Every structure is written in structure tokens, then in C-alpha cells.
Amino acid sequence: MSTLETIERLAERGGADTLQEAVEVLHDEVDHYSWVGIYLVEGDELVLGPWRGPNATEHVRIPVGQGVCGAAAATGETEIVDDVNADPRYLACFPSTRSEIVVPIAHDGRVVGEIDIDSDRPAAFGAEDRELLERVAVLLAPFCH
Ligand code: SME
């Protein structure tokens, strides 16, 4: 079963652990996803929800508009950063991170959360990741508000 199909099944089944299960599937099945987290919008902040990776991040609350995460939440557009060290917006979490993708999760035209993935590989994220994760974001939207 593909990663997308696995997450489709999780979303169909539903339940309190759906977001946690989805981050675990993404992290465990896709080799270049080094750290996977979901932030949920609370007022004008992003609050870290379920995550899976080797280390916890200190960025558990990020104001909308700050960092790569805050930029994606402000615009509602996916952000792909090929070299995090060259992006002045980047809020550093892990010394090993080289690239990042942030995919907003929208519900009723409003950003309610986002999927944030760090990779230890430079320029790890491309069109396939964007397509997979934007579809996952649609599946997870009902569990984010
Ligand atoms: N790098 C993010 C912060 C979150 S950590 O990657 C987990 C940013 O620049 O917004």
C-alpha cells in the first residue's frame, strides 16, 4: 500500500489519534522525512501538535508570520526551502536539518494547521512531496479544527 493509501485508510477510520498516526506513517515510510510535525493554528499562533523524529523542537509556539512555518500559515501556500541556512526566515530546530517543506492544512478557506517536515538532505523536497503532502493535508483537515 502506498503512503497516501495508508493515510487515506487512517482518515476514513478516524479517531483521536489520526494526526499522530499520520505523522508516524510519513516519518517511518519516507526515507528523507527526518522530522515530521503538525502545527495547529490557535488565534495568531501555531502550536505544535503530534510529531515524530529523533529530537523534540523548542519551537512549540510560532507566531503566524514568523519562520518558514509562519510564512506558510500567513499565505496558505506550500513553502519549500532547499537550503535552510540560506533562508533568513528559517527558525533553526535541529543542527542536522538542511531542507524543509511546510504544507498548510485548510478548512473552509482558512488555514487551521500545517504539516512541517525537515530533512537532513539538502534540497530533499520536490513536486512529488508537494503532491503527496497537499493531498495528506486535505485528508487531515477534518482532524485539525
Ligand atoms: N524551521 C521552522 C520551525 C519549526 S522546526 O523546523 C520543527 C521554521 O522556520 O518555521
Side-chain angles (χ1 to χ4, degrees), residues 35 39 57 59 62 66-70 89-91 93-94 100 116 118:
W35 187 95
Y39 285 88
T57 173
H59 296 294
I62 300 174
Q66 280 187 25
V68 181
C69 287
R89 302 170 303 172
Y90 175 64
L91 299 171
C93 289
F94 317 111
E100 181 168 13
D116 175 26
D118 285 28

Side-chain angles (χ1 to χ4, degrees), residues 10-16 18-19 40 139-145:
L10 288 178
E12 273 165 27
R13 199 181 66 209
T18 304
L19 295 180
L40 299 169
L139 294 170
L140 296 185
F143 303 95
C144 290
H145 64 97

Side-chain angles (χ1 to χ4, degrees), residues 6 22 32 38 44 79 83 93 116:
T6 304
H32 57 289
I38 291 179
D44 53 8
E79 291 279 350
D83 176 0
C93 289
D116 175 26

Side-chain angles (χ1 to χ4, degrees), residues 5-141:
E5 283 167 343
T6 304
I7 295 175
E8 276 169 352
R9 299 264 174 105
L10 288 178
E12 273 165 27
R13 199 181 66 209
D17 297 329
T18 304
L19 295 180
Q20 180 70 49
E21 290 164 349
V23 301
E24 289 176 8
V25 169
L26 290 170
H27 176 270
D28 297 355
E29 290 195 3
V30 188
D31 205 38
H32 57 289
Y33 294 0
S34 305
W35 187 95
V36 179
I38 291 179
Y39 285 88
L40 299 169
V41 174
E42 281 185 22
D44 53 8
E45 279 191 320
L46 293 158
V47 179
L48 184 63
W51 61 274
R52 182 133 162 139
N55 294 296
T57 173
E58 67 187 71
H59 296 294
V60 292
R61 299 183 90 90
I62 300 174
V64 170
Q66 280 187 25
V68 181
C69 287
T75 62
E77 300 290 333
T78 294
E79 291 279 350
I80 292 179
V81 178
D82 287 341
D83 176 0
V84 291
N85 294 312
D87 192 321
R89 302 170 303 172
Y90 175 64
L91 299 171
C93 289
F94 317 111
S96 55
T97 298
R98 304 292 306 279
S99 58
E100 181 168 13
I101 186 169
V102 184
V103 178
I105 299 171
H107 185 80
D108 285 343
R110 197 169 59 88
V111 177
V112 291
E114 59 189 31
I115 304 165
D116 175 26
I117 303 183
D118 285 28
S119 182
D120 294 351
R121 292 190 205 161
F125 303 104
E128 266 185 40
D129 301 285
R130 176 195 287 266
E131 192 179 319
L132 166 65
L133 295 168
E134 288 183 349
R135 292 175 77 169
V136 170
V138 171
L139 294 170
L140 296 185

